[in-house]
Amino acid sequence: MFKQLMIFSIEKESYLRACGHLRKKMNSLVGQANGDNNKPVESSIRSKLEEGLEPNFIQVVNESYMHNVPKGSETHFKVVVVSEKFAGQPLIKRHRMVNELLRNELQTSVHALSIVAKTPEQWQESSKLVEPSPACRGGFGK
Amino acid sequence: MFRTIRFASLVRNFATKPEEIGNLVKGNKVVVFMKGVPEEPRCGFSNAVVQILRMHGVQYNAHDVLADEELRQGIKEFSNWPTIPQVYINGEFVGGCDIMLQMHQNGELIEELKKVGINSLLLETAKEADNTKK
């Protein structure tokens, strides 16, 4: 009787462990499908820019890995936004539009933001290649 | 013919207060707020701005925001611009690294410098190259 109970509890334990493992796996699969489970900042940048600028094309690149920050950080970003809303606006105004939409992110977690802001016409004419940001020089100041 | 060599003038003010920023930005025709100093920038974006200004042979005042936390916050509010570096020409905010890079590439920077009486070194080098061709 006691032996049986032991076996049962061991089985139960390994069963629960397996369940936990499966659940974790499921979560990570769902996360990959959504693409944002582990990237809250990246996804909020994307959704705010999509909402505010209705872009024809948008690219949000997490460049944090290039810098002196822990792995998986969301501190350094590059955004490429192609939107009709930039038409007739000088570059500085376009940057201000982006900065304004991401004000909250820039005040809290985001620390470097490189911006490419073009109209659809300019984007068509351009090489559509986005140059990488300059290499880090170690000055991660706090 | 000797080419005039101009050095970036360095002003390191360690005790800049936010209320003084209005004066700081007018301290020279070109003023840069950056991380580190021109000889040793401590951020790739600041370094890019330094290199661009060097190519154009521009004399400027540089302020290291890493040496002054008050200035670091103050300049962001003053310019209503969230990132460093920041460049001022003739007391007016011009932009950060991306904008400087683009102005450098499309020739606008040469024009903006000309407006405030600075002849870009790139123009002079181009002229010299032209003369040797002739």
Side-chain angles (χ1 to χ4, degrees), chain B residues 19-119:
Chain B
E19 59 268 28
E20 292 166 14
I21 291 175
N23 293 328
L24 279 188
V25 301
K26 294 181 204 129
N28 203 339
K29 285 178 180 173
V30 179
V31 179
V32 179
F33 297 85
M34 61 180 286
K35 289 185 179 175
V37 292
E39 311 93 319
E40 205 182 326
R42 291 184 60 203
C43 153
F45 300 99
S46 290
N47 181 52
V49 166
V50 167
Q51 298 309 323
I52 291 170
L53 291 174
R54 195 173 56 88
M55 270 189 269
H56 289 264
V58 177
Q59 284 190 321
Y60 58 95
N61 287 4
H63 300 282
D64 179 5
V65 302
L66 292 181
D68 187 341
E69 186 59 31
E70 254 184 281
L71 177 65
R72 184 179 182 175
Q73 292 314 318
I75 191 65
K76 290 180 184 178
E77 283 159 31
F78 184 85
S79 314
N80 186 24
W81 192 263
T83 48
I84 306 290
Q86 299 188 9
V87 179
Y88 278 81
I89 297 181
N90 229 16
E92 273 185 41
F93 180 60
V94 173
C97 173
D98 288 325
I99 291 181
M100 285 296 284
L101 202 59
Q102 197 149 341
M103 286 173 68
H104 165 65
Q105 286 165 347
N106 66 18
E108 223 177 289
L109 184 57
I110 291 180
E111 296 306 312
E112 287 301 313
L113 290 172
K114 204 186 277 176
K115 278 186 203 163
V116 298
I118 299 173
N119 254 331

Side-chain angles (χ1 to χ4, degrees), chain A residues 60-124:
Chain A
V60 181
V61 189
N62 184 350
E63 292 188 326
S64 307
Y65 70 93
M66 292 162 67
H67 299 270
N68 189 14
V69 290
K71 211 178 164 194
S73 291
E74 292 193 283
T75 49
H76 297 65
F77 283 93
K78 165 170 277 180
V79 297
V80 182
V81 185
V82 179
S83 168
E84 204 61 69
K85 294 202 173 181
F86 291 140
Q89 304 286 4
L91 200 52
I92 187 160
K93 185 76 201 303
R94 296 178 189 187
H95 280 235
R96 284 200 191 280
M97 289 160 78
V98 172
N99 287 337
E100 192 54 45
L101 286 167
L102 304 180
R103 175 182 283 268
N104 193 31
E105 283 71 13
L106 283 160
Q107 268 170 1
T108 53
S109 49
V110 176
H111 175 112
L113 180 68
S114 180
I115 302 170
V116 177
K118 291 186 191 295
T119 61
E121 294 74 34
Q122 286 172 327
W123 182 244
Q124 281 306 320

